[in-house]
Amino acid sequence: MDVCFDNFIVSVRCLDDGHTFSLTSKQHLKSISAKLLERDFFGIRSSLPIQQNSDESDGTDQLMKIMNGNLSFELITKLNEINFIELYHDGMNMSDYFADLGIAKRICVFNSGPGYISYVKNISDFAIQMESDTESLKKIMMYTTNYTMRPVEEPKIGSLILAFVKSDDCWYRAKITSKEPTGFGVFLIDLGHSAVTEMIGGITEPSIARIHPLAKLCSLKLPPGFVVDLKTEIIFNKIAAMGKKQFNVKLVNPQVNSALVEIFDGDQPLLDKIYDEISS
């Protein structure tokens, strides 16, 4: 609340639509009944899963332009009283739109729950597939198993395509990250790691393209002073079990590129298991 001591000025936020305004007279303030306070507010404090660049006005201006348009949203998760949502304008994902414009960068945010570690580079760089995405994963696998390659008309950096990985003899959803002498550098968005492939194909089914990336890039929350050495990394890789063991994953802090998480094996923190292995 901002108050001017010479004149009464107070800034207020409307709990039912979220906008703020200023009042210059106490006569415009009234108390409300306890019954009204018990009701849910219509204004839901929300955020897109993005981090804006230095000039926030660009993103604000873009959102103001679409306020009266055909909007829809999906709730991702609620963290620290903020609802993270995917917002769509005429079917277009606004977070992806802002990222493509360079206005903002996506942050990794998801709903806490059971999941599997699908890829490990190190204890501060690994990928998780959430149990809640199982049906989406099955849908993608059904599509890629029966896939007949379609040419990609204009392969560009950042394009969403299918990439054939020879070692697995499988097609995976991917984004092109570079053009290489032997093909394309790609990031496999449902596994969480990079690869180089000679074969790419277009995604012909829009519903497959619309599924959000299923690999959640993560970093394990470590206590201050915790030293990560080669033995720690080996133990973490061993415990991770590469998709064969289910863990409980708690989102601590969404960040650009990866999310800071705590991981539990049942009720036991994964860090405790690492400590036990180190001391044994």
Side-chain angles (χ1 to χ4, degrees):
M1 181 174 68
D2 299 322
V3 179
C4 174
F5 291 99
D6 296 325
N7 299 293
F8 178 84
I9 300 177
V10 61
S11 296
V12 297
R13 179 167 63 90
C14 180
L15 296 175
D16 290 319
D17 65 13
H19 80 278
T20 59
F21 52 90
S22 297
L23 298 176
T24 57
S25 171
K26 293 181 180 180
Q27 295 179 352
H28 296 149
L29 292 174
K30 295 182 179 181
S31 60
I32 60 175
S33 68
K35 287 185 178 181
L36 281 177
L37 289 173
E38 293 173 0
R39 295 184 180 182
D40 291 333
F41 301 124
F42 292 106
I44 301 173
R45 189 181 177 195
S46 302
S47 173
L48 297 182
I50 57 175
Q51 177 180 295
Q52 285 193 225
N53 295 333
S54 55
D55 188 358
E56 295 186 0
S57 62
D58 291 339
T60 302
D61 290 344
Q62 292 289 334
L63 283 175
M64 292 293 288
K65 289 177 182 177
I66 66 170
M67 278 184 62
N68 296 320
N70 182 20
L71 300 176
S72 61
F73 75 94
E74 295 174 358
L75 176 66
I76 304 171
T77 191
K78 186 175 182 178
L79 185 68
N80 300 327
E81 300 304 316
I82 296 177
N83 295 276
F84 285 94
I85 64 169
E86 292 287 9
L87 180 66
Y88 299 90
H89 177 236
D90 290 331
M92 179 174 63
N93 186 302
M94 294 305 297
S95 297
D96 290 340
Y97 175 69
F98 289 145
D100 291 342
L101 286 179
I103 291 175
K105 295 178 181 177
R106 262 192 171 273
I107 61 175
C108 186
V109 57
F110 53 90
N111 203 20
S112 300
Y116 304 85
I117 299 175
S118 60
Y119 171 76
V120 175
K121 184 177 181 180
N122 55 58
I123 201 167
S124 297
D125 187 357
F126 56 93
I128 288 176
Q129 290 178 335
M130 301 303 292
E131 177 73 20
S132 58
D133 289 327
T134 298
E135 290 304 314
S136 294
L137 184 59
K138 287 180 180 177
K139 184 177 180 180
I140 293 168
M141 290 177 65
M142 186 178 298
Y143 175 76
T144 56
T145 300
N146 301 305
Y147 180 69
T148 301
M149 192 178 76
R150 298 288 189 275
V152 179
E153 294 182 3
E154 295 184 34
K156 299 177 182 178
I157 305 300
S159 294
L160 177 64
I161 47 90
L162 289 185
F164 185 75
V165 178
K166 275 187 177 180
S167 57
D168 296 347
D169 193 32
C170 289
W171 290 93
Y172 296 107
R173 292 194 313 160
K175 285 195 173 183
I176 298 175
T177 56
S178 63
K179 294 184 179 180
E180 305 292 334
T182 56
F184 295 90
V186 296
F187 182 77
L188 308 176
I189 64 173
D190 300 318
L191 296 181
H193 64 87
S194 300
V196 175
T197 180
E198 297 176 4
M199 295 174 59
I200 62 172
I203 299 176
T204 57
E205 176 53 57
S207 64
I208 297 298
R210 282 197 297 266
I211 298 173
H212 59 83
L214 301 187
K216 316 301 182 186
L217 303 183
C218 298
S219 174
L220 190 66
K221 183 183 178 183
L222 301 172
F226 185 90
V227 178
V228 178
D229 54 17
L230 180 59
K231 184 176 181 181
T232 304
E233 296 287 9
I234 292 172
I235 291 170
F236 180 70
N237 265 277
K238 176 185 172 184
I239 295 173
M242 294 299 287
K244 297 178 180 178
K245 184 176 178 60
Q246 188 180 89
F247 298 96
N248 291 317
V249 183
K250 179 184 177 183
L251 177 64
V252 177
N253 185 25
Q255 301 172 141
V256 174
N257 299 325
S258 67
L260 191 65
V261 299
E262 293 176 342
I263 299 178
F264 300 84
D265 185 359
D267 294 328
Q268 184 182 22
L270 201 64
L271 268 178
D272 287 357
K273 297 196 72 169
I274 294 174
Y275 282 132
D276 291 344
E277 290 273 354
I278 291 173
S279 59
S280 62

